[in-house]
Amino acid sequence: MGDHILVRQLIATYSQKKFLLKALLPTIALAMLVLALVNFRKPDSSEKVQLTGTDLMIALDVSNSMMARDIQPNRLEKAKLLISKIIDHLDGNRLGLVVFAGNAYLQMPLTTDASAAKLFLSTISPDLVPLQGTNIGDALLLCNRSLTVEDKKYKSILLISDGEDHDDAAIATAKELKGKGVVINTVGVGSPSGSPITDPATNEYKRDDQGNTVLTKLNEKALKDISAETNGTYTLLSGADEAADAIGAQLQGMEKKAITDSTLTNYTSFFWVFVIIAMLFLIGDFMVSEKKRVVNQASPATQKPIAANNKKEAFIKTASVLMMLLFCFSNAFSQKEDDLVKKGNDAYKQQKFEEAAKQYETVLKQNGANNTASFNLGNTKFKSGKYEDATKQYDELASGKTERQLAAKSLYNKGVSLLKQQKLPEAIEALKQSLKANSQDEETRENLQKALNELRKQQDKKDDKKDDKKKDDKKKDDKKDKDKQDEKEKKQPQQKPKISKENAEQKLQALRQEEKKLQERLNQKQRSSVKQPEKDW
C-alpha cells in the first residue's frame, strides 16, 4: 500500500535473512548460558580421595532441660559450641548427627564436609523434636543404624546430654552396641546441683503437677555407666576446648580404616566451553547488522554525514566487543584463581599443608587482594606450627580492606596464634578487637576470658617472686646488722658483774625451785601421754 517509489525507499535497507539471524544469535547464546549453569563436569584423575579415620555419630540431647542456664549461655548452646570445635578438627574422620528428646531423628548422615556439618548444627533447637522427654536408648540405636553395619570396629558414638533419661533402656542398649564394636563416649552438660528450666511459652520457671519448680540436675552416674559399658570415657563439659581435645585424643587412639570421600573429589568442569560459545554468538550479534548494504545514490553532500554515522556505529560495536572480551578474560583469570584456591583447599583437607601454602601463595602473587587465599594461607601456616608467620598473615588481612566478619575471624586467629607463642598481652588485645567486630561470638569471649585468667596467674606468680625476693633481702640485711652488732660487742671489753653472797644464794634457791617444777611437769606429761582407746563405731 502506498506510493511504490516511497515504499521501496523505506524498505531499501531491510534484509529478512539478517533480521532472522539477529534474532537467532542471542537465542543460541542464552541457551549456551543455561547449559553453562548446568555445570557439566567429570572427575579428574584423583576421582576418589582416600582418608583414614573413624566414623563418629554424635547424639545431641535437645530436650527442654538442655535450655537450663546453669552454664552460660545455656546447656544446648554450650554443647553446640563443643560440636563446632570437634568439626574443626575432623582430621579424616566422618561425622554424623542425631538429635533426640522423646524421639530421635537423623539430622545429618556421615560426612567429612565441615561446612555442611556446621550448617546443620546452626539449625538445631528443641523445636526440632515435637515429643519432649529424654530417650537416650532410641538415640543410641539410631546412631548405630547410621553407622556402617558390616564393620565391628572403627565406630564411635558421642552422647551429649544432661543424663536425665526418662527411659531405663539406655544401659541395655549400650550393652547391645558393645557387641557390635561400638564405643560410646559421653559428655555431661550441666551441674549436679541442678537448675530451673525456663518455659519458652510463659517465660517463667517450669513447674510440676504439684506446682513445685522443676529442677533439672546433671545425672553423671547414668552417663558414666553408659560409657563404662563400652569402655568409653566420660567428660564433664566445663570448657569446650578441653572437652574437644579429650574427645579428639580418644578418637586418635582408636583403630582407623580407609575412608573413600566423594566430597573431596576433584572435578574438571566444562561450563567455560558453553560460556565461550555464548560470548561468540553475542559478539556476532553485535557485529552483524540487520540492514542490507545498498549503493547510495545520494548527492556527494549527503554521503559525508552517512559515512560519519557508519564510523560512529562501527566504533561503538568495536568498543562493545573489546569490553566483552575484556570481561571474558577477567572472568577466566578469576576462574584460574578459584581453581588454585580449590586445589589449596583440597590439599589442606588432606593435611598437605606445604602444598596448600604453595597454591595460596601463587594466587596472592597474581592478586594480592584475594582475601580467601590470604586467610587460608594464614590457617596453613598455623597448622604447620609457624605461629609467628601466621600472626603476620592474619595481621595483614585484619588491617586491610576486608569485610567485618572476615576481619573478626582474622583477629581471632591472630589471638590464638599469639597464645601459642605465650604472648598473652598481645593475644588479649587481638581477641578484644575480634569481639568488637563480632560481639556475638561466644568462642572468642570464652578464649578471651581464659587468656585474662592466665595473665592474672602469671602476674600473681611474679608478685609472689618479688615478695620472696624482698623477704630474702630483708633477711640478709637483718643478718648483716646482727653480725655487725655481734662484732661490735666482741670488740667491747666484757665487764664481770659483781654479785653479793646473799644474792647468789637466792638465785641458786630460785633455780632449784624451777628445776623441781619442771621435773613435776615432765612427769605429769608422761602420765597424760598414754593413748586412750578411740571410739569403735
Side-chain angles (χ1 to χ4, degrees):
M1 297 176 63
D3 181 73
H4 177 70
I5 298 174
L6 178 61
V7 171
R8 188 174 60 184
Q9 289 179 352
L10 289 173
I11 65 172
T13 59
Y14 173 72
S15 172
Q16 186 176 4
K17 292 181 180 180
K18 288 188 175 181
F19 184 82
L20 292 174
L21 181 62
K22 286 282 288 182
L24 184 62
L25 289 175
T27 304
I28 296 174
L30 180 61
M32 292 296 105
L33 290 175
V34 171
L35 292 175
L37 287 172
V38 174
N39 191 21
F40 293 104
R41 61 180 187 170
K42 71 172 184 178
D44 62 9
S45 56
S46 59
E47 178 177 350
K48 295 180 180 179
V49 178
Q50 296 291 335
L51 303 173
T52 56
T54 57
D55 290 338
L56 173 65
M57 286 298 300
I58 298 179
L60 176 60
D61 187 354
V62 294
S63 60
N64 284 333
S65 61
M66 292 292 286
M67 300 304 292
R69 298 180 180 273
D70 46 0
I71 56 176
Q72 295 299 321
N74 58 50
R75 294 178 182 179
L76 182 58
E77 290 302 320
K78 193 76 170 182
K80 288 168 67 174
L81 178 60
L82 169 63
I83 297 174
S84 178
K85 294 279 188 183
I86 296 172
I87 293 172
D88 290 336
H89 301 86
L90 281 178
D91 295 335
N93 301 309
R94 291 193 301 179
L95 182 142
L97 188 59
V98 166
V99 294
F100 70 95
N103 291 328
Y105 298 92
L106 179 64
Q107 178 76 353
M108 182 186 71
L110 288 169
T111 182
T112 59
D113 192 338
S115 58
K118 288 201 172 184
L119 182 63
F120 280 104
L121 181 64
S122 64
T123 63
I124 290 177
S125 71
D127 298 333
L128 288 176
V129 182
L131 182 61
Q132 280 300 313
T134 307
N135 194 337
I136 293 177
D138 280 358
L140 295 178
L141 288 174
L142 181 56
C143 286
N144 181 60
R145 290 196 297 269
S146 303
L147 293 165
T148 307
V149 179
E150 60 269 16
D151 291 334
K152 288 201 172 182
K153 52 184 177 179
Y154 319 117
K155 298 185 290 186
S156 178
I157 295 176
L158 179 63
L159 173 63
I160 304 176
S161 174
D162 51 22
E164 283 205 329
D165 192 358
H166 301 163
D167 182 12
D168 298 330
I171 300 295
T173 303
K175 289 180 181 179
E176 179 185 345
L177 296 185
K178 181 183 179 181
K180 298 179 180 179
V182 179
V183 176
I184 302 175
N185 299 310
T186 58
V187 176
V189 190
S191 61
S193 59
S195 172
I197 308 170
T198 303
D199 191 343
T202 61
N203 204 25
E204 296 179 353
Y205 288 145
K206 192 175 184 61
R207 298 181 180 276
D208 57 17
D209 295 336
Q210 287 75 33
N212 301 318
T213 301
V214 175
L215 285 180
T216 172
K217 298 180 180 181
L218 170 63
N219 190 350
E220 288 190 291
K221 183 180 182 306
L223 295 173
K224 288 179 180 178
D225 291 344
I226 292 171
S227 60
E229 284 294 335
T230 60
N231 300 321
T233 60
Y234 167 77
T235 304
L236 176 63
L237 181 56
S238 54
D241 287 319
E242 293 81 355
D245 291 341
I247 293 165
Q250 203 276 341
L251 290 175
Q252 288 297 327
M254 292 181 63
E255 189 175 355
K256 299 184 182 345
K257 67 173 179 178
I259 298 173
T260 302
D261 184 20
S262 60
T263 61
L264 298 181
T265 302
N266 295 322
Y267 292 93
T268 301
S269 296
F270 298 100
F271 71 92
W272 55 273
V273 176
F274 299 99
V275 171
I276 291 175
I277 294 173
M279 297 306 296
L280 291 175
F281 275 98
L282 288 175
I283 291 171
D285 179 51
F286 271 97
M287 299 299 294
V288 175
S289 173
E290 64 183 16
K291 298 178 182 180
K292 65 182 179 182
R293 191 173 183 182
V294 295
V295 179
N296 190 2
Q297 300 296 332
S299 62
T302 61
Q303 290 180 3
K304 189 172 182 180
I306 293 175
N309 289 334
N310 289 339
K311 288 181 179 180
K312 185 178 180 181
E313 184 179 352
F315 174 77
I316 293 174
K317 287 183 176 181
T318 304
S320 300
V321 169
L322 291 175
M323 290 293 291
M324 294 176 70
L325 290 174
L326 182 62
F327 177 74
C328 290
F329 284 126
S330 64
N331 277 352
F333 183 73
S334 175
Q335 182 60 37
K336 185 179 179 182
E337 287 183 13
D338 293 342
D339 290 340
L340 290 172
V341 170
K342 185 178 183 300
K343 288 181 180 178
N345 293 345
D346 293 340
Y348 182 90
K349 290 177 182 177
Q350 298 174 48
Q351 300 184 17
K352 298 177 181 178
F353 301 123
E354 297 268 341
E355 182 180 340
K358 289 180 181 177
Q359 300 293 341
Y360 299 138
E361 287 170 352
T362 303
V363 174
L364 292 173
K365 285 179 182 177
Q366 297 175 357
N367 180 14
N370 192 311
N371 292 332
T372 302
S374 181
F375 184 79
N376 291 353
L377 179 60
N379 292 344
T380 305
K381 290 180 178 179
F382 180 88
K383 283 287 189 179
S384 303
K386 301 175 182 178
Y387 301 121
E388 189 172 349
D389 293 340
T391 302
K392 292 179 181 178
Q393 190 69 33
Y394 294 132
D395 194 33
E396 290 177 5
L397 188 60
S399 59
K401 294 182 179 179
T402 57
E403 61 180 8
R404 191 179 184 85
Q405 290 295 328
L406 182 59
K409 290 180 181 178
S410 301
L411 288 166
Y412 171 79
N413 287 358
K414 176 186 174 183
V416 176
S417 300
L418 289 167
L419 285 174
K420 291 288 186 180
Q421 301 172 63
Q422 297 298 317
K423 297 179 179 179
L424 288 177
E426 295 90 338
I428 290 171
E429 183 60 30
L431 291 172
K432 284 181 179 179
Q433 294 297 327
S434 176
L435 203 57
K436 287 180 182 178
N438 183 10
S439 59
Q440 303 300 320
D441 194 335
E442 290 297 329
E443 188 176 350
T444 304
R445 197 185 308 278
E446 184 176 334
N447 282 322
L448 175 59
Q449 187 61 47
K450 288 180 181 178
L452 290 170
N453 292 337
E454 186 65 26
L455 181 62
R456 193 177 297 112
K457 288 180 183 178
Q458 291 187 5
Q459 289 176 345
D460 291 342
K461 287 181 181 179
K462 288 181 180 179
D463 293 340
D464 291 341
K465 287 181 179 180
K466 287 181 180 179
D467 292 339
D468 293 340
K469 187 177 180 182
K470 287 181 180 179
K471 288 179 181 179
D472 292 339
D473 293 340
K474 190 174 183 301
K475 286 181 180 179
K476 290 179 181 179
D477 294 338
D478 293 342
K479 188 177 180 182
K480 287 181 181 179
D481 294 340
K482 186 177 180 182
D483 293 341
K484 287 180 181 179
Q485 184 66 27
D486 292 343
E487 187 177 354
K488 186 176 180 182
E489 290 178 355
K490 286 179 181 180
K491 290 181 179 179
Q492 291 179 352
Q494 299 278 337
Q495 292 183 356
K496 294 182 178 181
K498 295 181 179 181
I499 305 175
S500 63
K501 185 178 180 181
E502 293 81 4
N503 290 336
E505 288 179 357
Q506 289 176 359
K507 287 186 176 184
L508 182 61
Q509 186 66 24
L511 287 173
R512 287 174 180 173
Q513 290 292 333
E514 288 292 332
E515 184 180 356
K516 186 177 179 181
K517 290 179 181 179
L518 178 61
Q519 189 64 38
E520 289 177 356
R521 286 199 299 270
L522 288 173
N523 292 335
Q524 185 178 1
K525 186 176 182 181
Q526 287 178 354
R527 288 194 297 272
S528 63
S529 64
V530 180
K531 292 185 177 179
Q532 301 294 327
E534 296 180 356
K535 296 179 180 180
D536 58 354
W537 64 81

